[in-house]
Amino acid sequence: NRYPDYKDIDYAYYLKALIAYEQINNPGLDSSKTEKSLEYFEELIRRFPDSKYARDGKQKINLINTVLAGKDMHIGLYYLEQKSYLAALNRFKKIVDEYEANRYTPEALHRIVEVYYSLGMINDAKKIAAVLGYNYPDSIWYKRSYKILGDIDADISEDPNWAEKLYKKIFN
């Protein structure tokens, strides 16, 4: 940082991040520019949290994370199709654990249910389904998880709010 007292230094950091952001073309093939842009926006926010550019930086970070989550979803689905369950599970967990909730989160949770179910890890599948149903009760992915697990716990599964009750049963 050569000019820490420069009054518009936050703008310079913002431009640096924005230029990297504008160079993102196909993150599915090459995510290096995506990751570089993310790094620059995070640096902007860390150094200048009260800057007028920080808000846009946070929005861009959310968009970048959604793009990266989409890439992980695509890779995870490929692994799932190949029956490489551990590799798929790692990608789906990454979407849930490393990114802010985004449009891929409910599907990632459902895919984790699928993997656990496929591996015979029914209790783990139930836990994740409960989290999915509790947080995304109107999601198509919740309905699909219900189709997989609905008959397993008959006392709970006949209730339309089965995931919420299972969530409370497991986590409370």
Side-chain angles (χ1 to χ4, degrees):
N1 195 357
R2 291 184 185 164
Y3 309 103
D5 296 331
Y6 181 67
K7 71 179 181 88
D8 291 324
I9 193 76
D10 59 335
Y11 183 63
Y13 277 86
Y14 176 71
L15 283 179
K16 178 176 148 182
L18 200 57
I19 289 167
Y21 181 81
E22 293 296 328
Q23 291 178 355
I24 298 171
N25 7 345
N26 190 344
L29 297 176
D30 177 17
S31 62
S32 63
K33 293 198 186 324
T34 310
E35 290 166 4
K36 190 56 79 178
S37 177
L38 179 64
E39 176 187 322
Y40 291 157
F41 278 117
E42 287 172 341
E43 182 179 22
L44 166 71
I45 292 165
R46 187 179 60 253
R47 287 179 179 247
F48 309 100
D50 299 325
S51 165
K52 61 184 175 183
Y53 305 107
R55 184 173 184 203
D56 185 56
K58 288 175 187 171
Q59 290 175 339
K60 294 281 193 294
I61 286 173
N62 286 338
L63 292 171
I64 292 167
N65 281 333
T66 299
V67 167
L68 292 172
K71 178 182 176 187
D72 283 322
M73 177 59 70
H74 180 76
I75 294 168
L77 290 171
Y78 171 79
Y79 286 138
L80 188 60
E81 190 177 285
Q82 302 299 312
K83 298 190 182 342
S84 297
Y85 295 120
L86 186 58
L89 183 63
N90 287 336
R91 289 295 176 154
F92 300 138
K93 281 185 169 185
K94 182 178 178 186
I95 293 167
V96 173
D97 296 339
E98 293 186 21
Y99 303 117
E100 292 283 323
N102 60 64
R103 68 184 203 166
Y104 296 103
T105 305
E107 182 179 0
L109 288 166
H110 168 71
R111 299 301 179 179
I112 293 169
V113 169
E114 282 185 322
V115 169
Y116 282 154
Y117 185 81
S118 297
L119 295 173
M121 301 169 66
I122 305 305
N123 286 333
D124 292 314
K126 285 183 192 180
K127 288 178 183 176
I128 300 300
V131 170
L132 173 59
Y134 187 79
N135 291 293
Y136 304 97
D138 298 324
S139 165
I140 183 79
W141 303 109
Y142 163 65
K143 291 171 180 68
R144 290 181 181 180
S145 288
Y146 177 82
K147 282 184 181 179
I148 293 172
L149 297 172
D151 295 333
I152 292 173
D153 233 350
D155 62 317
I156 293 176
S157 67
E158 291 176 14
D159 188 320
N161 297 323
W162 71 276
E164 185 174 343
K165 289 185 176 178
L166 184 59
Y167 182 89
K168 288 177 180 171
K169 183 177 173 183
I170 294 169
F171 296 107
N172 289 336

